[in-house]
Amino acid sequence: MPRIALVTLAVCVLSLAAAVVSFVQGSWLGIVWVLLAGLTSNMSWFYLKRSRGAATKSVTG
């Protein structure tokens, strides 16, 4: 798994935790954290699929 995918996955988990804390405290700022979690989740999948595609192409030639 590429490093960038791991970093974006970590940011996703941390932003979800921040969203939960924000909503528990009654702040609407949690919406921003949820949007950030969605963005980083998509980035993680993108980089993971990209690395798998590059790995299969390099093996097959």
Side-chain angles (χ1 to χ4, degrees), residues 10-54:
V11 172
C12 180
V13 170
L14 290 174
S15 62
L16 280 175
V20 169
V21 169
S22 293
F23 284 130
V24 166
Q25 291 180 350
S27 174
W28 286 97
L29 187 62
I31 294 173
V32 175
W33 291 114
V34 169
L35 292 174
L36 181 64
L39 176 69
T40 56
S41 171
N42 287 339
M43 288 174 64
S44 294
W45 280 113
F46 173 76
Y47 286 119
L48 184 63
K49 289 181 182 180
R50 182 177 169 191
S51 70
R52 287 185 181 170

